[in-house]
Amino acid sequence: MAPVDMESMASEKDCSKTPEKGKSSAEGHVGEQSRLGGVHGFLARLATKGSVELRGSMPVPYQEREMTQYVNIFSLWFCLSCNPLPITFGMVGTLSFGMNLRDAALTILFFILASTAPVAYLSTWGPKTGMRQLVQARFAFGYYHVQILYSRGTGWLIFTSKYIVSILILLNLATLTGFCVVDSIIGGQALSAVMDGTTINATVGIVIVSLVALLISFCGFKVLHMYDRFACIPALLAIIIATGCGGKQLSHQVQAPSASGALVMSFGGLVASYMLPWAALASDFSTYIHPKAPSLRIALYTYVGLALPTTLLMILGAAIGGATPNVPAWMEGYETNAASGVLGAMLHPAGGFGRFVTVILAFSMVGNLSATMYSITLNFQMFLPWLFRIPRVIFSVVITAIVIGVAIQAAKSFFTNLENFIGVIGYWSAAFIGVVVVEHMLFRKRNFNSYTEDEDAWDDAKKLPPGFAAIGAAVLSFALVIPGMSQIWFLGPIAETTGDVGLEFALFFSALFYVPLRFLERKMTGR
């Protein structure tokens, strides 16, 4: 069967609508839909009241980037990190890797300080361009990456460019969904630990926490920022109380030998893999900030808001993990509800008040979970062009259903699934950073106007690079990443001596390979 050109069948995107005279693009779009009935009309009416964001992944025009409360960036990142999630990762260092507390703490400190920098830098791009992070990444990776072929009847039907999917979006969707699963499991297990699983088991807890996060991600940017501004306060107090209740037991550390260099690199890679994936959504949370916002200030707010609580809580987690085998009540809680069970056991001596604090710890996961879900809704729209027809808020419901289903199964072997998941996602995230930073620094000479001078370029494959250089550099880097990997299921020949250096290889070699490939791509295509 001959190839069929589906380009003429592509749907009209929301971003192509012309706004009403005198109104911004967003206001015109909402005003047009508010006159409709059904779902679109209902959502548009909510949007006019400022409670729901409908824009989705379309760039925010210059005149609509009005947020000047820059401290909101700090509170958002702080709330994302002020919950039991970093504690859980810290426990991996002493419980799973067998490190002593000193070595685990130093590893956490060094790798967080280094791996937070790219996230802080990329967050400054949002106010300058108004673009979500992976929309901006199109200026290096291009619009399309893989052509879909499938069989219908007796022949092969070939979809043309309008239906070619993005590998980058697919990888990020998998990464963010994985983090959502981890968040919901931790929150669900914390609710289960309140009454030792007799009233609420982990499955019910997962559903409850996920539905609360759905509400916030459904509403979008403004509600998310407003929630995170205040939610970090009870979360921080709950963690302090839990530490105070169980603090005297933290000195009962399991004796462990000094960590080898290979072990430090492997655990450090896991820590960095926790931080680097934030780079692929860093500007998602800053696109409404005023374009004149000082970049240094935005970067510092992001860096401190993310690094400070994550470092302290990961080290706390390492201390808890090192003491858990020597404290029977903690070990019992760990075997039942993993890290959340340990925190519940720490608060158990406080009686009813301790149970109340455990509930707060459970719902502290909502800040991280809802923000991640928010970015997923944006990524869904970019995955296939026709998905722009579907309002962003609908994808909040879709991802919640997916997360609940996967989390219920993943909770059965939580720590094993956690290590397998986190150990892998850092590699592609590092390669992504290497490519987009080189594109911006070297080929665009840090000129943000090169992204916005043509307002339609972000959504026009003919005006964007074809992406061969970016994909080629990332793929070529994995020729060295794979031998440098150290995972439960695979140990590369280089990693046998050095520990896991795959992440460092991905960052360095993707950037190195991209330079000649991009020069060649520009010479051949002119883009």
Side-chain angles (χ1 to χ4, degrees):
M1 190 180 203
V4 177
D5 185 357
M6 301 297 291
E7 191 161 341
S8 60
M9 298 174 61
S11 61
E12 180 177 326
K13 301 177 186 177
D14 291 342
C15 60
S16 64
K17 295 180 185 284
T18 303
E20 298 176 20
K21 185 176 181 180
K23 295 185 179 182
S24 68
S25 60
E27 290 171 339
H29 181 59
V30 169
E32 181 179 333
Q33 291 205 10
S34 63
R35 294 189 292 269
L36 303 176
V39 174
H40 284 280
F42 172 71
L43 294 176
R45 283 190 288 274
L46 290 178
T48 57
K49 297 178 181 179
S51 55
V52 174
E53 177 195 8
L54 293 184
R55 173 174 299 281
S57 56
M58 294 179 292
V60 180
Y62 187 98
Q63 66 272 16
E64 293 181 35
R65 288 174 246 157
E66 300 174 338
M67 180 192 250
T68 55
Q69 293 178 305
Y70 307 140
V71 72
N72 283 355
I73 288 295
F74 171 82
S75 61
L76 183 139
W77 286 106
F78 192 91
C79 188
L80 286 179
S81 307
C82 193
N83 53 61
L85 183 61
I87 295 174
T88 303
F89 275 84
M91 291 176 66
V92 173
T94 46
L95 271 178
S96 298
F97 281 80
M99 300 177 72
N100 61 50
L101 178 57
R102 182 202 63 185
D103 292 344
L106 290 174
T107 302
I108 289 168
L109 176 62
F110 175 80
F111 278 88
I112 285 181
L113 291 178
S115 58
T116 308
V119 185
Y121 180 54
L122 293 180
S123 72
T124 65
W125 296 11
K128 303 300 183 185
T129 65
M131 294 179 184
R132 313 294 185 170
Q133 199 69 65
L134 291 192
V135 168
Q136 198 167 59
R138 289 177 174 180
F139 289 85
F141 283 87
Y143 202 126
Y144 310 116
H145 302 149
V146 175
Q147 193 175 57
I148 300 177
L149 305 175
Y150 77 96
S151 179
R152 175 180 290 176
T154 59
W156 285 92
L157 185 63
I158 304 178
F159 279 88
T160 58
S161 60
K162 284 295 182 182
Y163 287 89
I164 298 178
V165 300
S166 167
I167 293 177
L168 197 64
I169 300 296
L170 185 62
L171 286 170
N172 202 43
L173 280 173
T175 298
L176 297 182
T177 302
F179 269 110
C180 286
V181 168
V182 173
D183 289 342
S184 61
I185 290 174
I186 294 173
Q189 288 178 334
L191 283 180
S192 176
V194 172
M195 297 299 292
D196 300 321
T198 56
T199 304
I200 298 177
N201 59 28
T203 297
V204 176
I206 287 169
V207 174
I208 293 173
V209 171
S210 298
L211 291 179
V212 175
L214 164 64
L215 177 63
I216 298 171
S217 65
F218 184 92
C219 293
F221 187 88
K222 289 184 179 179
V223 173
L224 177 65
H225 273 270
M226 182 174 64
Y227 174 84
D228 286 341
R229 190 185 309 166
F230 302 104
C232 60
I233 298 172
L236 180 61
L237 291 175
I239 292 171
I240 292 172
I241 292 169
T243 305
C245 289
K248 63 182 179 181
Q249 305 286 0
L250 294 177
S251 60
H252 301 158
Q253 295 290 309
V254 173
Q255 296 300 313
S258 296
S260 64
L263 191 60
V264 168
M265 293 301 295
S266 293
F267 179 56
L270 189 73
V271 172
S273 292
Y274 174 90
M275 302 298 285
L276 291 182
W278 289 120
L281 57 145
S283 73
D284 290 3
F285 306 127
S286 61
T287 51
Y288 287 91
I289 291 178
H290 197 282
K292 301 292 186 182
S295 293
L296 179 60
R297 190 172 173 184
I298 299 300
L300 285 175
Y301 277 148
T302 301
Y303 190 94
V304 177
L306 181 57
L308 179 62
T310 304
T311 302
L312 295 176
L313 294 181
M314 272 200 188
I315 293 175
L316 173 61
I320 293 172
T324 294
N326 288 334
V327 183
W330 292 11
M331 195 65 196
E332 182 180 352
Y334 171 77
E335 291 173 349
T336 305
N337 286 303
S340 297
V342 178
L343 291 171
M346 291 170 67
L347 287 162
H348 186 73
F353 178 71
R355 293 189 179 93
F356 172 73
V357 174
T358 306
V359 172
I360 294 177
L361 286 174
F363 285 106
S364 70
M365 296 306 307
V366 170
N368 192 298
L369 181 56
S370 58
T372 309
M373 282 183 172
Y374 173 73
S375 285
I376 289 177
T377 64
L378 305 174
N379 278 237
F380 263 127
Q381 284 193 323
M382 289 184 280
F383 185 53
L384 287 169
W386 62 267
L387 292 177
F388 270 92
R389 294 182 60 189
I390 302 175
R392 179 199 66 81
V393 295
I394 301 300
F395 293 116
S396 297
V397 180
V398 173
I399 189 57
T400 301
I402 293 172
V403 166
I404 289 174
V406 175
I408 290 172
Q409 294 301 315
K412 297 175 182 177
S413 301
F414 178 58
F415 266 87
T416 299
N417 290 324
L418 177 66
E419 288 185 55
N420 287 336
F421 163 66
I422 296 299
V424 172
I425 62 173
Y427 302 132
W428 87 262
S429 301
F432 165 80
I433 292 169
V435 168
V436 296
V437 170
V438 168
E439 171 68 26
H440 181 69
M441 299 287 287
L442 178 61
F443 293 98
R444 297 185 182 270
K445 304 186 186 305
R446 295 180 293 177
N447 179 16
F448 288 105
N449 290 332
S450 66
Y451 301 96
T452 59
E453 57 190 357
D454 186 337
E455 295 181 356
D456 299 322
W458 72 274
D459 201 33
D460 189 341
K462 296 178 181 179
K463 297 178 181 179
L464 292 167
F468 300 138
I471 294 295
V475 171
L476 285 174
S477 72
F478 271 75
L480 291 163
V481 169
I482 293 173
M485 290 171 54
S486 176
Q487 299 296 325
I488 296 173
W489 42 270
F490 177 77
L491 180 64
I494 297 176
E496 289 181 2
T497 303
T498 63
D500 195 326
V501 291
L503 187 145
E504 290 83 358
F505 282 177
L507 179 64
F508 177 77
F509 286 107
S510 64
L512 181 65
F513 293 147
Y514 184 65
V515 174
L517 290 175
R518 182 69 172 116
F519 274 119
L520 180 62
E521 183 180 66
R522 293 181 70 178
K523 183 177 181 180
M524 294 177 63
T525 66
R527 290 181 277 154

